[in-house]
Amino acid sequence: MRLPKTLLSALVLATATLPAIAAGPDGDVEWNGISHVAWQDRRPVCPVNRETFQVRFQSYRDDLTGARIYVRNGGVSSFVTAARTGTRGPYDLWMAQAPAATADTLRYWIELTDGADTDCFSANGMNDASVPADSGFVVDFAKLSHAPVGATLVNGSATVFKVWAPTRTSVHVRGDFNGWGTGNPMTKVGEHFIARVAPSYDRQYYKYFFNNSVWNTDARARSLDPSNNLNARIENPFRYAWGDSAWTTPPLEDLVIYQLHVGTFAGRNDPLGSAPAPARYVDVTARVSQLVDLGVNAVMLNPVTEFPGDFSAGYNPQTLWAPEWKYGTPDELRQMVDVLHRNGIAVLLDIVWNHLTTNDNFLWNYDGSQTYFDSVAVETPWGAQADFDEPAV
């Protein structure tokens, strides 16, 4: 029996260590198990120059008897068979290789089969038919509209920048790569501005310049540096080599959880020695054996996204995308998670979705106009509420 399509994603996450409900070769594709987030499930993440790319997606384990992607490449349409490449919790992982494009626009959707049942997943979600009502996921090599919002490193020496600025008429990306000049104007595509800048490199600083008057950092930066004028950094999210491939999350009923605040975890009365204040991801990594000795098999991190100042419980975030810089780099956060996993300890993230800091809020009048918040502020006990009626917010 198919689960209701309105089932909250939180339920899917909560059952991540349990057998998939009703999954199996039963002639019914389980819609709730299907996931393909286009802007993060392609490899490379932002294909350029009509290059071939992988389409990755997941289904409930053992649910599908087959899958393939339908590709419309210029004037030619074809199917590419998808292969099951592994598992993650209750999910099977799939991959299909889209061919190199022969035109500037390539479209695709995913066809899913369980016995006699064939459905498809496309830009507007699941469909009972084998052909969707929409025209598929679009990869536009000319406009690069398929790029994720933020800064995406491509081919190691170029970056595609994309920023949401619906009310602006001009945006420049300025940074280490162009001497902080205005040599890289961005092109408006719908409500976004996009630019491909080459050469530009991993870990270089940058900022946006709106309407030739307003500077601001990247709202979707993977890394921010408050010690350097809150400049954003280009970050390669695949730079770190993970070593936790054997990791399996314990069943929920077996979790013994330790709430961990990175900034105060190490240093005071510490048998391993001193640590800076606040403590860092590397200090936690160096003390994982203490958690093992304590007998826990999960840690729940206080929020680690960027907050004002150096000391906070984490519940006053400036962003939901960049880890707190004073704790360390994104790769040091990855290493901490990796080492915890390799020592049998799960990592749970406490995340604040519903409010931002009341001070140093760079999203307020972000680009010189009020886009992230209602123009007449809707106040909460923790500050103004973001304009959640706006899809881009």
Side-chain angles (χ1 to χ4, degrees):
M1 181 177 67
R2 179 171 297 143
L3 292 174
K5 299 173 191 174
T6 56
L7 188 67
L8 295 176
S9 61
L11 178 58
V12 177
L13 292 173
T15 58
T17 60
L18 303 177
I21 300 171
D26 57 359
D28 188 8
V29 175
E30 301 299 332
W31 287 17
N32 264 26
I34 306 302
S35 174
H36 171 68
V37 181
W39 59 267
Q40 66 183 18
D41 289 340
R42 291 186 283 248
R43 296 292 183 275
V45 173
C46 180
V48 296
N49 298 332
R50 301 187 182 181
E51 66 185 323
T52 178
F53 60 91
Q54 293 179 3
V55 175
R56 299 182 175 192
F57 56 98
Q58 69 180 28
S59 66
Y60 280 145
R61 189 182 295 187
D62 299 325
D63 184 52
L64 302 182
T65 56
R68 57 185 183 172
I69 61 170
Y70 177 88
V71 180
R72 190 170 294 157
N73 187 352
V76 179
S77 298
S78 62
F79 281 102
V80 179
T81 301
R84 188 161 38 187
T85 59
T87 60
R88 178 174 54 216
Y91 299 103
D92 282 331
L93 306 179
W94 297 78
M95 187 274 287
Q97 190 77 31
T102 58
D104 278 341
T105 301
L106 182 147
R107 298 174 183 272
Y108 69 91
W109 65 75
I110 303 168
E111 185 188 82
L112 309 149
T113 301
D114 182 355
D117 184 27
T118 297
D119 300 329
C120 70
F121 186 80
S122 191
N124 291 337
M126 291 295 300
N127 193 296
D128 271 313
S130 58
V131 177
D134 60 54
S135 55
F137 297 102
V138 178
V139 177
D140 189 329
F141 293 101
K143 297 179 180 178
L144 298 177
S145 54
H146 59 279
V149 180
T152 304
L153 198 65
V154 294
N155 299 328
S157 60
T159 305
V160 176
F161 296 93
K162 183 176 181 180
V163 62
W164 181 61
T167 68
R168 302 298 84 182
T169 56
S170 71
V171 183
H172 293 78
V173 58
R174 304 171 69 170
D176 291 339
F177 39 80
N178 60 14
W180 293 91
T182 55
N184 294 106
M186 305 178 74
T187 301
K188 192 163 191 178
V189 180
E191 293 189 342
H192 294 84
F193 284 81
I194 303 172
R196 181 184 179 190
V197 178
S200 56
Y201 300 101
D202 190 22
R203 301 289 288 166
Q204 284 189 317
Y205 286 116
Y206 70 97
K207 246 192 179 115
Y208 295 122
F209 191 51
F210 300 96
N211 276 24
N212 295 313
S213 59
V214 177
W215 289 85
N216 212 332
T217 197
D218 188 350
R220 287 280 288 270
R222 294 178 180 273
S223 177
L224 295 172
D225 189 347
S227 72
N228 190 4
N229 201 29
L230 203 64
N231 289 325
R233 284 188 187 270
I234 301 168
E235 289 282 351
N236 176 8
F238 305 108
R239 182 177 51 233
Y240 181 78
W242 290 85
D244 64 348
S245 59
W247 167 250
T248 300
T249 305
L252 294 178
E253 63 270 20
D254 292 341
L255 292 182
V256 180
I257 302 172
Y258 177 96
Q259 184 163 357
L260 192 156
H261 179 255
V262 172
T264 58
F265 180 73
R268 179 169 293 185
N269 299 321
D270 193 329
L272 201 63
S274 63
R280 305 158 299 174
Y281 306 123
V282 295
D283 300 313
V284 176
T285 302
R287 292 161 173 80
V288 168
S289 62
Q290 297 177 7
L291 294 165
V292 174
D293 292 343
L294 191 61
V296 304
N297 64 358
V299 296
M300 184 177 76
L301 301 180
N302 272 50
V304 295
T305 52
E306 193 68 56
F307 49 74
D310 297 339
F311 300 93
S312 172
Y315 296 98
N316 56 334
Q318 290 178 285
T319 174
L320 302 181
W321 303 93
E324 169 59 29
W325 80 286
K326 200 69 175 180
Y327 293 168
T329 67
D331 276 357
E332 288 167 342
L333 172 58
R334 294 183 180 100
Q335 180 189 38
M336 182 187 75
V337 174
D338 193 16
V339 172
L340 283 162
H341 281 176
R342 282 187 273 153
N343 281 272
I345 299 175
V347 180
L348 313 176
L349 297 178
D350 192 355
I351 298 174
V352 179
W353 297 110
N354 61 331
H355 66 269
L356 296 157
T357 179
T358 55
N359 59 308
D360 295 331
N361 184 351
F362 66 81
L363 294 179
W364 189 263
N365 288 321
Y366 176 67
D367 56 10
S369 64
Q370 190 62 291
T371 54
Y372 282 93
F373 296 86
D374 291 308
S375 56
V376 177
V378 177
E379 295 296 335
T380 79
W382 306 279
Q385 177 178 282
D387 182 8
F388 294 121
D389 293 324
E390 167 56 57
V393 175

